[in-house]
Amino acid sequence: MAQNLPNFTNSVRLKYVKLGYQYLINHFLTLLLIPIIASISLEIVRIGPQELLVTLQSIQLDTLQVLCSTFLIIFISTVYFMSKPRSIYLVDYACYKPPVTFRVPFATFMEHSRLILKDNPKSVDFQMRILERSGLGEETCLPPAIHYIPPKPTMEAARGEAELVIFSSIDSLFQKTGLKPKDIDILIVNCSLFSPTPSLSAMIVNKYKLRSNIRSFNLSGMGCSAGLISIDLARDLLQTHPNSNALVVSTEIITPNYYQGKERAMLLPNCLFRMGGAALLLSNKRRDRTRAKYKLVRIVRTHKGEDDKAFRCVYEEEDAQGKVGINLSKDLMNIAAEALKSNITTIGPLVLPASEQLLFLFTLIGRKIFNPKWKPYIPDFKLAFEHFCIHAGGRAVIDELQKNLQLSSEHVEASRMALHRFGNTSSSSLWYEMSYIEAKGRMKKGDRVWQIAFGSGFKCNSAVWKCNRTVKTPSDGPWLDCIDRYPVHIPEVVKL
């Protein structure tokens, strides 16, 4: 029996050696100061209080020197605090939860596909294979216009969906924060594929009668990563406008973008994208520091649009029959991996502990100088973050990031469950994932969260948040009636 057991001695020793190395490097300055402070303390004890007092009295300072020194200290402190960036807080957020009448079970989706594409059985079979492996569940939702056979993607229906999703999210946010519409100073809306005139931001201004001097912005065509772009824009505006509130709305309107052709690369979004939206309240007010849930630490944006393949890998176009849809390239995952690599290269030195940065540096030098075949060292981002919110773009996206970042199943649980329950809700998916972590009671004070999103263009954007306070299990939100059922097992293939 004993001979069949593996020998864990070496792995245990290696584990403790690595832990010791991490502690030594990350606390190097503290460990260096301890003997210095101890030496100074021993010296003070040795000379005694009388001699120390005599030494202090021997230092002669006239009034002018004291005043100049005081002024210099005040001047340096003033410059430091004035040049220091304002802290940006996420006070709270709200996610839209579609009614059960919008639910699209697999059977309903496939029945509609067979009726709509009755002359193209191969396209129907393709959609069924995608749906079986998608990671979506039976409770995802589509807007009413898509439930018709054939769908009715009219402008009126698209506006109706936009009003329902956006107004519901904002109403919920106002209720949670106690904020009044007149308190909003900055408004940013991002919706990639639906850009009507007047804009969605103007629609919100009209609905809530916002102030005439509000700074409003409407972002379109920026894909699933546009939510973090909106937060980056809000951060820059809040740096220049003190004592302000920013309302950020992220959504994707499905109604006018449901593809009714037969091109496989353009049918794929039909299987993955579902209704969703989120509204966020950001603030730079000091009094919001205590009630805010999170503090924005940093945002890193990567754009690979200079490469033609990356630019066209998510591309809106017409098919041979003139029907408009989103064409997803076969190279999408490779391009996403390259964009992630560039983003990690930038964000790594900003968030990783010194121990991981040194290991990465030594490995890089070793590969360049000694042996190019050395296996590259992948930094352990689990040392920098407690929670990961990976854009729920599809099962393949989550699998690839879990593999490349060496994350555990628990680290990607929020992403997989958000995809299963709500589908790919585009730029708002990160907030359904954040809400899942909160609903599970896992968000503690001081926890760090890494949000990673991908979008057309091609872009990879990251946001880092720090939890301001332990978040109590919410009494509302999109997961309220189903969180007890999750996590669920998601099979590799669901036979339809």
Side-chain angles (χ1 to χ4, degrees):
M1 182 74 177
Q3 292 178 352
N4 294 329
L5 292 175
N7 186 357
F8 294 104
T9 307
N10 292 334
S11 60
V12 170
R13 287 175 182 171
L14 184 61
K15 174 186 175 182
Y16 283 106
V17 167
K18 188 173 182 180
L19 287 174
Y21 162 77
Q22 291 169 357
Y23 189 86
L24 177 64
I25 297 299
N26 296 338
H27 300 84
F28 179 76
L29 289 177
T30 304
L31 297 173
L32 186 65
L33 285 173
I34 289 175
I36 297 174
I37 295 172
S39 300
I40 294 173
S41 301
L42 290 173
E43 184 64 18
I44 291 174
V45 172
R46 187 186 65 80
I47 63 177
Q50 294 297 330
E51 188 173 343
L52 182 64
L53 186 61
V54 171
T55 303
L56 292 174
Q57 290 175 347
S58 65
I59 301 174
Q60 298 295 324
L61 294 175
D62 57 27
T63 306
L64 181 60
Q65 288 176 318
V66 173
L67 288 175
C68 288
S69 301
T70 304
F71 174 78
L72 183 62
I73 293 171
I74 294 173
F75 176 76
I76 293 174
S77 301
T78 303
V79 170
Y80 171 75
F81 284 109
M82 288 184 67
S83 61
K84 185 180 179 183
R86 291 188 176 91
S87 296
I88 308 300
Y89 301 102
L90 173 58
V91 179
D92 213 331
Y93 64 93
C95 296
Y96 170 71
K97 184 180 178 183
V100 293
T101 52
F102 292 0
R103 194 166 63 90
V104 184
F106 293 156
T108 301
F109 184 91
M110 291 312 305
E111 181 184 7
H112 282 218
S113 294
R114 291 186 185 98
L115 293 172
I116 295 168
L117 299 170
K118 57 185 176 182
D119 297 328
N120 296 286
K122 290 184 178 180
S123 297
V124 175
D125 291 341
F126 172 76
Q127 285 189 301
M128 184 170 68
R129 290 197 302 272
I130 293 298
L131 202 62
E132 287 175 338
R133 295 161 176 80
S134 64
L136 272 67
E138 297 275 7
E139 296 180 277
T140 61
C141 296
L142 285 171
I146 309 301
H147 288 254
Y148 286 95
I149 302 175
K152 296 182 178 180
T154 62
M155 175 61 76
E156 182 182 3
R159 285 188 183 276
E161 181 192 349
E163 291 173 356
L164 176 63
V165 174
I166 293 174
F167 294 163
S168 298
S169 301
I170 295 176
D171 289 344
S172 179
L173 180 67
F174 283 165
Q175 184 178 4
K176 292 170 76 172
T177 60
L179 200 72
K180 298 178 181 178
K182 297 295 183 183
D183 296 330
I184 301 298
D185 305 289
I186 298 166
L187 171 64
I188 302 172
V189 181
N190 69 266
C191 179
S192 186
L193 294 172
F194 181 57
S195 184
T197 300
S199 66
L200 296 177
S201 59
M203 182 184 77
I204 295 172
V205 172
N206 176 259
K207 165 69 175 179
Y208 294 97
K209 312 303 177 189
L210 302 183
R211 302 198 317 257
S212 60
N213 65 341
I214 191 168
R215 298 170 181 86
S216 64
F217 302 84
N218 199 98
L219 306 182
S220 63
M222 306 195 80
C224 300
S225 66
L228 297 186
I229 295 173
S230 296
I231 291 171
D232 190 31
L233 175 58
R235 178 192 63 173
D236 292 343
L237 292 167
L238 289 170
Q239 290 298 333
T240 56
H241 299 286
N243 203 38
S244 298
N245 290 316
L247 173 62
V248 176
V249 179
S250 296
T251 188
E252 191 59 78
I253 303 306
I254 305 295
T255 296
N257 302 298
Y258 191 84
Y259 176 64
Q260 299 183 56
K262 60 181 181 179
E263 291 294 326
R264 292 189 178 187
M266 301 170 78
L267 282 168
L268 189 58
N270 289 359
C271 302
L272 299 176
F273 283 87
R274 296 293 186 265
M275 286 184 77
L280 296 75
L281 176 61
L282 298 173
S283 171
N284 59 11
K285 299 179 181 180
R286 290 187 177 180
R287 65 172 178 267
D288 285 330
R289 179 174 56 184
T290 53
R291 73 168 184 147
K293 283 185 174 181
Y294 304 95
K295 177 182 177 182
L296 181 61
V297 179
R298 64 182 77 256
I299 290 180
V300 173
R301 291 167 59 181
T302 302
H303 204 308
K304 308 295 284 187
E306 79 282 358
D307 179 74
D308 291 342
K309 282 188 176 181
F311 175 72
R312 293 188 64 91
C313 70
V314 181
Y315 202 79
E316 185 177 18
E317 61 183 3
E318 294 175 331
D319 65 11
Q321 284 73 43
K323 295 180 179 179
V324 179
I326 305 298
N327 192 318
L328 300 183
S329 168
K330 295 178 181 178
D331 300 322
L332 178 58
M333 291 310 302
N334 293 331
I335 292 167
E338 285 299 316
L340 176 65
K341 182 179 176 181
S342 299
N343 193 269
I344 284 177
T345 303
T346 304
I347 200 173
L350 303 174
V351 298
L352 286 169
S355 58
E356 289 300 297
Q357 294 190 45
L358 280 176
L359 281 174
F360 181 78
L361 177 63
F362 291 156
T363 307
L364 183 64
I365 293 173
R367 295 183 70 206
K368 293 288 185 182
I369 298 176
F370 301 109
N371 187 356
K373 294 183 180 180
W374 278 7
K375 186 179 179 181
Y377 180 73
I378 300 175
D380 187 359
F381 281 92
K382 298 186 291 294
L383 297 174
F385 305 105
E386 283 73 35
H387 307 287
F388 297 81
C389 293
I390 300 167
H391 167 55
R395 187 177 205 150
V397 175
I398 302 171
D399 288 345
E400 194 68 21
L401 263 72
Q402 180 180 6
K403 177 184 174 183
N404 289 339
L405 297 178
Q406 299 179 350
L407 302 178
S408 68
S409 298
E410 185 175 346
H411 286 125
V412 297
E413 181 183 310
S415 301
R416 293 195 189 280
M417 298 307 112
L419 179 66
H420 181 271
R421 175 61 183 84
F422 297 100
N424 180 352
T425 57
S426 190
S427 57
S428 63
S429 67
L430 298 174
W431 302 106
Y432 287 92
E433 295 165 25
M434 191 87 96
S435 181
Y436 178 88
I437 298 170
E438 292 180 2
K440 282 294 182 182
R442 297 172 183 171
M443 195 66 74
K444 308 298 181 184
K445 182 178 180 180
D447 283 0
R448 297 154 297 178
V449 186
W450 186 13
Q451 293 181 324
I452 311 170
F454 300 93
S456 58
F458 187 84
K459 298 178 284 291
C460 176
N461 300 326
S462 292
V464 179
W465 302 89
K466 187 173 182 179
C467 186
N468 255 6
R469 54 181 173 84
T470 298
V471 180
K472 297 180 181 178
T473 303
S475 57
D476 55 6
W479 296 94
L480 181 62
D481 63 346
C482 61
I483 191 63
D484 293 337
R485 303 200 311 264
Y486 284 89
V488 297
H489 171 67
I490 305 175
E492 290 291 328
V493 179
V494 179
K495 281 297 179 182
L496 299 181

